[in-house]
Amino acid sequence: MHTSSPAATITTGQRGRILAYQPSGQGSVSVAGIQHAFDVATHWRSDVAPAINAVVDVRFDDAGGLATVTAIPAQQLAQEDMAGAAKLARDKGQQLWGKAVSALGIQVLASLGVLIAGAFIFNTIGIRLFASVSRTYWQLLGLSADSLESFARDGGGGFTSAQCFFLLTIAACCATMASSHPKAALGKCAPLLFIVIHSSLLFFKIKGAVSDAGNAMGGIMGSRAARMAEQMASEMLGQVWQGLSFGIGFYLVLASSIVLAAYGLGEYKRKTVG
């Protein structure tokens, strides 16, 4: 068996794995698919005994002979795995970012960032009816406008279909990353279209909820008070609109969706005309 010379130069360590180990102190370690025999008394440099399948640090002398075999602590292996995973995620992220910049452009990505920030971070609407509350656009998508009280007080529960469609509109803005068809550029119009449709539906729901509340009060007062109930519903609707105020999130979401739609239409025209 080869024994390294004290004066020999030791190379930088390489990762290896113990394949076999005998109680006599003889064993073998695999480095880059090549097996090397080692002896505990000569090569082993750790306080713990070798274990089969253990990952070790293997060093060679300048003649290519096995010099030392050292066990690697589990904590160090875990840190190396985490570092490797972080590097892989960073590399994948850089690749995805480069692809996104190439397919969408910095302006579109910036507009998407403003849209997401406006929808998830900043307050979109303030409601002062039964209580004074503020909602982000994402929270607004989770509210129910079936009744005034639920609209004013409900904090939103679970994942709603409106929230699902909103996420799909954000994904639609990136359609050109998956397809080079000119119509894929129109996916950038999806957020604005969704906002218009959702806002219209929300308006009619609120109006209907106010009318229902007025009709209910008219029913209590009797059929002769129908005109009074209608007037009361109109006044209630006015109070509802006065109780609503728009926050910075509303303007960010609206402005960014308009900008995205403009980019989408412009890109579509360039691809079809060109």
Side-chain angles (χ1 to χ4, degrees), residues 20 32 46 72 92 115 124 139 169 185 199 263:
S46 296
I72 301 176
K92 291 295 183 181
L115 174 64
T124 295
Q139 292 172 331
T169 64
S199 299
Y263 278 123

PDB file of all heavy atoms in Angstrom, residues 20 32 46 72 92 115 124 139 169 185 199 263:
ATOM      1  N   ALA A  20     -16.344   0.937   1.240  1.00  0.00           N
ATOM      2  CA  ALA A  20     -16.197  -0.245   2.100  1.00  0.00           C
ATOM      3  C   ALA A  20     -15.246   0.077   3.244  1.00  0.00           C
ATOM      4  O   ALA A  20     -14.362   0.934   3.118  1.00  0.00           O
ATOM      5  CB  ALA A  20     -15.668  -1.431   1.286  1.00  0.00           C
ATOM      6  N   ALA A  32     -14.536  10.659  -7.865  1.00  0.00           N
ATOM      7  CA  ALA A  32     -14.767  10.860  -9.297  1.00  0.00           C
ATOM      8  C   ALA A  32     -14.848   9.539 -10.043  1.00  0.00           C
ATOM      9  O   ALA A  32     -14.348   9.411 -11.165  1.00  0.00           O
ATOM     10  CB  ALA A  32     -13.687  11.747  -9.904  1.00  0.00           C
ATOM     11  N   SER A  46      -9.704  11.820  11.107  1.00  0.00           N
ATOM     12  CA  SER A  46     -10.867  12.259  11.887  1.00  0.00           C
ATOM     13  C   SER A  46     -10.951  11.481  13.193  1.00  0.00           C
ATOM     14  O   SER A  46     -10.384  10.395  13.324  1.00  0.00           O
ATOM     15  CB  SER A  46     -12.163  12.054  11.086  1.00  0.00           C
ATOM     16  OG  SER A  46     -12.166  12.870   9.942  1.00  0.00           O
ATOM     17  N   ILE A  72     -16.386  14.576   6.764  1.00  0.00           N
ATOM     18  CA  ILE A  72     -16.965  15.918   6.680  1.00  0.00           C
ATOM     19  C   ILE A  72     -18.167  15.976   7.611  1.00  0.00           C
ATOM     20  O   ILE A  72     -19.077  15.149   7.511  1.00  0.00           O
ATOM     21  CB  ILE A  72     -17.394  16.239   5.243  1.00  0.00           C
ATOM     22  CG1 ILE A  72     -16.181  16.160   4.301  1.00  0.00           C
ATOM     23  CG2 ILE A  72     -18.027  17.629   5.159  1.00  0.00           C
ATOM     24  CD1 ILE A  72     -16.523  16.377   2.862  1.00  0.00           C
ATOM     25  N   LYS A  92     -30.891  29.935 -12.089  1.00  0.00           N
ATOM     26  CA  LYS A  92     -32.161  29.782 -12.798  1.00  0.00           C
ATOM     27  C   LYS A  92     -32.908  31.109 -12.849  1.00  0.00           C
ATOM     28  O   LYS A  92     -33.532  31.449 -13.867  1.00  0.00           O
ATOM     29  CB  LYS A  92     -33.021  28.722 -12.103  1.00  0.00           C
ATOM     30  CG  LYS A  92     -32.488  27.303 -12.219  1.00  0.00           C
ATOM     31  CD  LYS A  92     -32.508  26.816 -13.648  1.00  0.00           C
ATOM     32  CE  LYS A  92     -32.052  25.369 -13.745  1.00  0.00           C
ATOM     33  NZ  LYS A  92     -32.053  24.875 -15.154  1.00  0.00           N
ATOM     34  N   LEU A 115     -47.918  47.095 -11.196  1.00  0.00           N
ATOM     35  CA  LEU A 115     -49.242  46.487 -11.079  1.00  0.00           C
ATOM     36  C   LEU A 115     -49.324  45.568  -9.868  1.00  0.00           C
ATOM     37  O   LEU A 115     -50.287  45.621  -9.088  1.00  0.00           O
ATOM     38  CB  LEU A 115     -49.568  45.706 -12.356  1.00  0.00           C
ATOM     39  CG  LEU A 115     -50.862  44.892 -12.346  1.00  0.00           C
ATOM     40  CD1 LEU A 115     -52.072  45.799 -12.207  1.00  0.00           C
ATOM     41  CD2 LEU A 115     -50.970  44.029 -13.604  1.00  0.00           C
ATOM     42  N   THR A 124     -56.140  50.213  -2.038  1.00  0.00           N
ATOM     43  CA  THR A 124     -56.833  50.617  -3.255  1.00  0.00           C
ATOM     44  C   THR A 124     -58.083  51.425  -2.953  1.00  0.00           C
ATOM     45  O   THR A 124     -58.390  52.394  -3.649  1.00  0.00           O
ATOM     46  CB  THR A 124     -57.208  49.373  -4.087  1.00  0.00           C
ATOM     47  OG1 THR A 124     -56.003  48.742  -4.524  1.00  0.00           O
ATOM     48  CG2 THR A 124     -58.037  49.748  -5.302  1.00  0.00           C
ATOM     49  N   GLN A 139     -57.396  42.263  -1.773  1.00  0.00           N
ATOM     50  CA  GLN A 139     -58.435  42.049  -0.773  1.00  0.00           C
ATOM     51  C   GLN A 139     -59.811  42.398  -1.323  1.00  0.00           C
ATOM     52  O   GLN A 139     -60.797  41.736  -1.007  1.00  0.00           O
ATOM     53  CB  GLN A 139     -58.134  42.880   0.475  1.00  0.00           C
ATOM     54  CG  GLN A 139     -56.916  42.424   1.257  1.00  0.00           C
ATOM     55  CD  GLN A 139     -56.545  43.374   2.370  1.00  0.00           C
ATOM     56  OE1 GLN A 139     -56.800  44.577   2.290  1.00  0.00           O
ATOM     57  NE2 GLN A 139     -55.926  42.846   3.416  1.00  0.00           N
ATOM     58  N   THR A 169     -54.608  37.004 -15.463  1.00  0.00           N
ATOM     59  CA  THR A 169     -54.334  38.173 -16.308  1.00  0.00           C
ATOM     60  C   THR A 169     -52.870  38.599 -16.203  1.00  0.00           C
ATOM     61  O   THR A 169     -52.281  39.051 -17.193  1.00  0.00           O
ATOM     62  CB  THR A 169     -55.235  39.362 -15.926  1.00  0.00           C
ATOM     63  OG1 THR A 169     -54.942  39.782 -14.578  1.00  0.00           O
ATOM     64  CG2 THR A 169     -56.699  38.990 -16.031  1.00  0.00           C
ATOM     65  N   ALA A 185     -49.196  39.093 -27.874  1.00  0.00           N
ATOM     66  CA  ALA A 185     -48.929  40.427 -27.324  1.00  0.00           C
ATOM     67  C   ALA A 185     -50.180  41.038 -26.704  1.00  0.00           C
ATOM     68  O   ALA A 185     -50.093  41.868 -25.793  1.00  0.00           O
ATOM     69  CB  ALA A 185     -48.382  41.343 -28.412  1.00  0.00           C
ATOM     70  N   SER A 199     -64.879  45.883 -12.118  1.00  0.00           N
ATOM     71  CA  SER A 199     -65.395  47.125 -11.538  1.00  0.00           C
ATOM     72  C   SER A 199     -66.858  47.328 -11.910  1.00  0.00           C
ATOM     73  O   SER A 199     -67.668  47.779 -11.084  1.00  0.00           O
ATOM     74  CB  SER A 199     -64.560  48.315 -11.999  1.00  0.00           C
ATOM     75  OG  SER A 199     -63.214  48.175 -11.593  1.00  0.00           O
ATOM     76  N   TYR A 263     -48.700  48.968 -24.458  1.00  0.00           N
ATOM     77  CA  TYR A 263     -47.559  48.205 -24.967  1.00  0.00           C
ATOM     78  C   TYR A 263     -48.029  46.993 -25.778  1.00  0.00           C
ATOM     79  O   TYR A 263     -47.468  46.677 -26.831  1.00  0.00           O
ATOM     80  CB  TYR A 263     -46.672  47.736 -23.818  1.00  0.00           C
ATOM     81  CG  TYR A 263     -45.703  48.788 -23.318  1.00  0.00           C
ATOM     82  CD1 TYR A 263     -45.700  49.176 -21.984  1.00  0.00           C
ATOM     83  CD2 TYR A 263     -44.778  49.375 -24.168  1.00  0.00           C
ATOM     84  CE1 TYR A 263     -44.816  50.128 -21.508  1.00  0.00           C
ATOM     85  CE2 TYR A 263     -43.885  50.338 -23.717  1.00  0.00           C
ATOM     86  CZ  TYR A 263     -43.917  50.708 -22.380  1.00  0.00           C
ATOM     87  OH  TYR A 263     -43.040  51.661 -21.917  1.00  0.00           O
TER      88      TYR A 263
END
